[in-house]
Amino acid sequence: MRANKGLAGLIAGDTTISKVDVTTNSLWYRGYDINELCAKTSFLEVAYLLLHEDLPTSSQLKEFETFERANRNIPKSMYDAFKNMPHYAHPMDLLKIGVSMLGSFDEENSLGTNTHEQNLRKAMLLLSKMPTVVANSYRISKGLEPVEPDSDLSYSENFLSMISGEKTNDPLSVKTLDNSLILYAEHGYNASTFSARVTAATLSDLYNAVSSAIGTLKGPLHGGANEQVMYMLQEIETPERAREYTMKKIENKEKIMGFGHRLYRTGDSRTEVIKKLGQQLAEQKGITKWHEISSIMEETMIAEKKIYPNLDFPAATAYYLLGIPIELYTPIFAASRITGWAAHILEQHDDNRLIRPGCEYVGPTARKVKALEQRV
Ligand SMILES: CC(C)(COP(=O)(O)OP(=O)(O)OC[C@H]1O[C@@H](n2cnc3c(N)ncnc32)[C@H](O)[C@@H]1OP(=O)(O)O)[C@@H](O)C(=O)NCCC(=O)NCCS
C-alpha cells in the first residue's frame, strides 16, 4: 500500500474542536461559525470556547480575563537570556526558546503528569505570557528596552502596545488585531497542530508539544507565509507591476505566498473579515497601494490558475498597516494558535494513544556489507 504524498486526503483522527467544511469553505469552532465569532466576540472569549468547549458566561469571562491580566509577566532571567542571544536570532526561534523556558520555570511541569486541570492551567499561562515573550524578545534583539505588560489594557490593546512601545487603543487597530487572532486560533489537523498532537501523544508535556508546534509553524508553507507575503508586496512595490510579477511567477511555476490551501480549493472564508478591516485601516491612514497590488494579484491568480488567497494574504497587509514589524507576523499567529494547539493537546491527553504511523519501505533490499577496503 502506498501513502498519498503529504498524507493528502487522509483522515488522521477525530476532533470536537473545529470543523473545516470544504463544501462551503467555512470554518466552525465547536459549532460556531468563525465569521459570527469575529462579529460578536473577543479573542479571549474564543480562547475560552476552545479551551472549555463553550462560550463563557460574563462571570466566567471575567475570571478568565482576570487570570490572563494577572499572569502576563515573565521571569526577569528570561530577559537576560534574550539579551545573550545573537541579534540575528529569528523571532520564532526566540519564541520557541521562550516557551521552553516558561516550561522549565513552571514547577508543576516537573511533576511529569498531564491531568486536564494541569493542562488547562499551563495553557492559560502560555496564553497570558506569549505576547510578552513575542514583543519583548523582539524588542531586546533590536536593542530596545522591554515593555512591561499593562494589566489595565485588554489582551489586544496590551499586545499592540508592547509591540509598538506606546499605548495603542485605537478601536479599529485593536479590532483588526483581535479579529485576526480569532481567525488564526484554530484550524483542525493543520501541520503545527498535528505535530503538537504527535508530541503530546508520547505523554510529553504541553510546553514541549507547543515547542514542536512552533517549530512546525515557522515554515513558509505554513505560518511563515504571512511574512513572505509582505516581503513579496514590498518587492512588487507598485500596482503597475503586480500583474507582470504574478504572471512571471506562474510561468516559472513558482509558488506565490498567501495563495492556495490543502483543503480549501475555491476560497478561504477567513479572508473577507480581515480584508475589510485592512481596507478600513488603509483608508484611515491614506495608504491604499498594498490593497491595489493585492487585488490585481488575486484577480490574476484566480483567472489564470483558479487558486484563491488564504488568510495569510490579507493578514499581512493588515498587520503592515498596524505598524507591526514583519518578523513578528508569524510569532503573533503562534500567540493566537496557542489556543487551538492547547485544545488539541487536551483532547489528545484526555483520550490518548501513541501516534505512530507505518511507512512503505521502497529502498534497496538484502544487500551484503562489504569490508571497508572493498567499497568503492
Ligand atoms: C498551502 C499549500 C502548501 C498547499 O499545498 P498542496 O495542497 O500540497 O498543493 P500543491 O503544492 O500540491 O499544489 C497543487 C497545484 O497548485 C499549485 N499551487 C498551489 N499553491 C500555489 C501557489 N501559492 N502559487 C502558485 N501555484 C500554487 C502547485 O504548483 C500545483 O500545481 P501543479 O499541479 O501544476 O504542480 C500551497 O498552496 C502553497 O505552497 N501555498 C503557498 C504558501 C502559503 O500561502 N501557505 C499558507 C497556507 S494557509
Side-chain angles (χ1 to χ4, degrees):
M1 197 172 65
R2 298 299 297 273
N4 288 341
K5 199 168 179 193
L7 301 184
L10 183 95
I11 301 296
D14 294 343
T15 184
T16 62
I17 302 165
S18 69
K19 178 179 167 69
V20 177
D21 187 339
V22 289
T23 57
T24 54
N25 291 327
S26 54
L27 175 60
W28 306 76
Y29 296 166
R30 299 207 186 269
Y32 295 103
D33 179 81
I34 44 133
N35 286 312
E36 198 183 352
L37 289 170
C38 281
K40 297 183 183 168
T41 68
S42 67
F43 170 61
L44 278 194
E45 286 172 78
V46 170
Y48 187 99
L49 167 69
L50 293 169
L51 295 176
H52 292 280
E53 303 178 23
D54 209 347
L55 286 167
T57 62
S58 55
S59 62
Q60 286 166 334
L61 181 61
K62 202 168 180 3
E63 196 184 327
F64 194 74
E65 282 176 342
T66 303
F67 184 99
E68 187 274 318
R69 287 180 190 223
N71 284 284
R72 289 174 180 169
N73 285 298
I74 61 174
K76 292 279 168 282
S77 50
M78 285 181 62
Y79 290 136
D80 295 335
F82 291 136
K83 281 180 187 151
N84 285 318
M85 293 300 292
H87 67 89
Y88 50 79
H90 193 284
M92 281 296 274
D93 294 332
L94 296 177
L95 178 60
K96 185 157 51 72
I97 292 164
V99 166
S100 296
M101 284 196 278
L102 288 172
S104 307
F105 277 106
D106 183 352
E107 197 172 354
E108 194 176 57
N109 204 43
S110 65
L111 299 177
T113 48
N114 302 304
T115 68
H116 192 87
E117 288 62 38
Q118 287 170 343
N119 277 341
L120 269 179
R121 188 186 141 275
K122 290 173 193 174
M124 277 300 292
L125 288 175
L126 280 184
L127 173 70
S128 315
K129 293 179 191 304
M130 274 172 75
T132 314
V133 176
V134 169
N136 283 334
S137 62
Y138 178 78
R139 293 183 67 81
I140 289 168
S141 76
K142 296 291 166 205
L144 300 167
E145 280 304 310
V147 173
E148 288 302 328
D150 183 345
S151 59
D152 289 337
L153 300 179
S154 73
Y155 176 96
S156 291
E157 285 171 344
N158 174 59
F159 204 170
L160 276 178
S161 302
M162 282 194 298
I163 291 169
S164 68
E166 55 191 49
K167 190 170 170 178
T168 314
N169 55 7
D170 163 54
L172 179 59
S173 302
V174 175
K175 186 175 169 54
T176 304
L177 179 68
D178 205 77
N179 269 356
S180 78
L181 299 174
I182 292 177
L183 296 167
Y184 270 135
E186 158 60 11
H187 213 193
Y189 272 32
N190 60 87
S192 57
T193 299
F194 191 60
S195 70
R197 287 193 79 128
V198 170
T199 304
T202 68
L203 297 185
S204 185
D205 59 87
L206 184 138
Y207 291 101
N208 273 300
V210 170
S211 297
S212 299
I214 293 172
T216 309
L217 188 72
K218 185 183 176 191
L221 294 188
H222 190 12
N226 56 10
E227 298 181 5
Q228 296 308 319
V229 168
M230 202 59 228
Y231 292 127
M232 173 178 73
L233 295 179
Q234 285 184 322
E235 191 187 334
I236 297 172
E237 214 185 333
T238 64
E240 293 69 38
R241 295 187 45 199
R243 187 175 154 77
E244 191 196 336
Y245 178 98
T246 312
M247 288 304 291
K248 205 172 246 172
K249 287 262 180 196
I250 293 172
E251 278 155 28
N252 294 341
K253 293 199 176 300
E254 284 176 61
K255 286 267 179 80
I256 299 187
M257 293 295 127
F259 283 87
H261 198 273
R262 171 61 62 78
L263 300 178
Y264 303 121
R265 293 298 182 177
T266 53
D268 176 343
S269 69
R270 300 171 299 170
T271 54
E272 274 314 300
V273 170
I274 211 68
K275 187 171 160 182
K276 278 200 192 116
L277 288 166
Q279 279 164 340
Q280 287 171 30
L281 276 175
E283 277 161 31
Q284 187 190 65
K285 294 177 190 296
I287 308 170
T288 55
K289 77 169 181 174
W290 307 116
H291 285 97
E292 290 165 35
I293 297 173
S294 300
S295 294
I296 296 167
M297 294 187 77
E298 187 175 333
E299 278 165 28
T300 311
M301 279 295 274
I302 295 172
E304 300 292 328
K305 294 281 289 178
K306 292 197 172 41
I307 296 178
Y308 292 76
N310 58 53
L311 173 58
D312 291 319
F313 195 62
T317 304
Y319 282 179
Y320 193 77
L321 292 167
L322 286 176
I324 296 171
I326 298 174
E327 303 101 299
L328 289 189
Y329 295 4
T330 318
I332 290 171
F333 180 169
S336 154
R337 187 58 65 87
I338 178 60
T339 55
W341 290 334
H344 279 271
I345 294 163
L346 279 156
E347 196 175 58
Q348 187 66 41
H349 278 163
D350 289 349
D351 183 20
N352 191 54
R353 192 166 185 209
L354 182 75
I355 298 172
R356 203 303 188 189
C359 56
E360 185 71 13
Y361 177 70
V362 294
T365 51
R367 297 201 283 179
K368 291 279 178 232
V369 178
K370 288 182 181 164
L372 188 56
E373 58 280 9
Q374 289 171 346
R375 292 178 221 157
V376 284

